[in-house]
Structure formats: C-alpha cells, structure tokens
Amino acid sequence: MGRLAALGSGARQLLRRRGAAASLLLAVALPLGVQDPYLMDIAVMALIYMTVAVGLNVVVGYAGLLDLGHAAYFAVGAYTAALLTQRAGLSFTLALPASGAVAMALGSLIGLLVLRLRRDYLAIVTLGFGEITRITATNLDATGGPSGIFGLAPPSLLGLRLERPVHYYYTTLALLVIAACAAARLRESRIGRAWAFLREDEEAAEAMGIRTLSYRLLAYQIGTFCAGVAGAIFAMKMTAVAPASFGFMRSVLFLLAVIVGGAGSVPGALLGGALVTILPELLRPVAGFRYLIFGAALVLLMLFRPTGLWPAPRRAEE
C-alpha cells in the first residue's frame, strides 16, 4: 500500500509538472496569436493580478493572515517606480527591484505593529492602512495630489525598451514565473510547514517552539514585495499613477483572486488572478449589471465550491 501511494504521488507530481510546462508554453505563445492591442492589455493586466495573487496567497493561504489593504503596497510600488524613473532619473532596471524593496520595508514596519493581532482585528487594521495610504497619496505634493503622476516615459529594462503591450507581457510573465516557482518551493519547505501549523492552530504552533511573529512577518514581507513589483509594472504600463487606482475595491479583487482560485494553491492563485481580470471584461456588454452578475457568481462559488476552483491538494483532502 505504501508503494502504491508513493507511485500515485509521483504520478500526480509528474502530471502537475507537465501541466505547468504546457501552460507556460501556451502563455509564451499567446502573443503570436493575439494581435489586438486591447486583448494584449487585458493579458498584461491579468499577469499583473496573478503576480499580486501569488504573493497574497503566501499571506492568506499559507500563513492564514487576512489582509484587506493589500492595494496599499501595490500603490507604494507604483509610486516608487514613478518617482524614481521620472523625478530621480533612475533606470527602470534599478527602480523595479527598488519598488518591491520599498513596499517590503513598509510591510515589515506595518507587520511589526499589527501582526500580533488575529483574524477580524487584523483585517480591520489592514483595511484602515489601505485607506490611509490612498488618502496620503491624494494629499501629498510629492505624489502629485489627486491628479497623481502622469507622462511616464517608456522604460528600459536590461537595455530593452518597453514600448508595446507585448513587451510588458513578457516582462510580467517572466516575473510571474519566478514568483510562482518560489512560492511553490516555499510551500514544501520547512518554512511552508511552519506556516501550515500557524494557519491551523497558532497556540499549538507556539507551544511547539515556532516563532509565530517571525514567520508571519516573513509571509507578509514576501506578499508585499510581490505587490510592489507588480505595482511598478502597472505604473509604467499605464504611463501614469493616481490615488483613484488604489481604492478598497482593488484590495477586494486581489483577495478574491486568492479565494476564488483556492487559498494555499499556487495554480489556484494564478487561475483566480486571471478570472478576476477577464470576467469583468467579458461582462462589459451588460455594463450596468456586470458587477451584479460577477457577485452572484462568487456567491454560488462559495456555496458549492468553498475551497475554490483549484484548491491545494491538502485542502481538497480535508
């Protein structure tokens, strides 16, 4: 029986690897068959959402922390990239990792203050921080006030000028692959197992010697870094950044991407990020009702598939 179980597990891993390879090949070949700039813009936005969802999945799915203000770090990354490239004259090659680092530094500071809270209290505090960030950006002269920062020039990354949607597509795809592979490896690591203990029973994890605050902070740092990098690409792609782009609904969509796909599942986060981007666009013909239809579909999903469309194997077994 043990050998059969091992063989079954090995076969599932082989199928997952082949599925991941096939999906990557399809993603790489997608621009060859899509010539419409509008469709390419949607594809780029989907990849940006998927990158944020992979990072937020570490926070919500792995460590069990409910964050309702993740758009704040997305905004910090966007504003950092805009300020460094337009006003400081820094190249985007340096501004991109710097945006993630600034978002992570802010996440570390906020995390040290709020990660001792649990569940609903943590959600309320992160929601408040998200709104504080948006209001601060609206009132600061350095961030352009309500109008934001606009007229961002097409950036250069590693000597390649990003001028067309397909350039942003491949750049974001490369970053997404790195983030997804790192998240998948972390899930199976010693750190991932500590996060699983934390998520299921924090008191028991602390009694076993797991440094709960340190592991929660690490998860938060990873999630905020991914959001900051994705925000930098978003700012340069849109050639502008304004506070209205980072409201509460943006945080809700990021969280929905994780929940719809399946919390704790990397493929689920990718699927959820794509769905929350593409479905509202498909419902544009019924613009007056599209969010009603979208919301009804989410309610049905939570009723009949509460673990998400692609849950983690462990969650599916439970």
Side-chain angles (χ1 to χ4, degrees), residues 287-304:
F289 300 95
R290 64 173 178 160
Y291 282 111
L292 175 62
I293 297 171
F294 189 45
L298 291 174
V299 170
L300 291 174
L301 175 66
M302 290 299 100
L303 288 174
F304 297 103

Side-chain angles (χ1 to χ4, degrees), residues 183-225:
R185 293 297 298 270
L186 278 171
R187 182 185 58 201
E188 305 301 330
S189 68
R190 182 171 176 268
I191 296 173
R193 290 192 292 273
W195 281 333
F197 279 124
L198 265 173
R199 183 185 67 241
E200 300 301 330
D201 194 329
E202 186 174 344
E203 286 79 8
E206 195 167 358
M208 292 175 65
I210 294 175
R211 292 172 297 175
T212 55
L213 180 60
S214 298
Y215 280 103
R216 294 174 96 177
L217 184 59
L218 177 60
Y220 209 61
Q221 289 170 332
I222 293 170
T224 53
F225 182 84

Side-chain angles (χ1 to χ4, degrees), residues 6 9 36 57 60 62 81 109 140 216-217 225 227 238 288 293 306 309:
S9 176
D36 188 345
N57 185 49
V60 177
Y62 290 6
L109 176 62
L140 281 179
R216 294 174 96 177
L217 184 59
F225 182 84
M238 303 301 291
I293 297 171
L309 293 173

Side-chain angles (χ1 to χ4, degrees), residues 3 6-7 24 51 54 71 81-82 85 98 121 130 142 166 173 184 192 219 226-227 235 237 247-248 262 266 268 288:
R3 288 182 178 179
L7 286 173
L24 179 58
T51 304
V54 167
T85 55
Y121 300 103
V166 67
L173 179 62
C226 289
K237 173 192 171 294
F248 173 63
V266 175

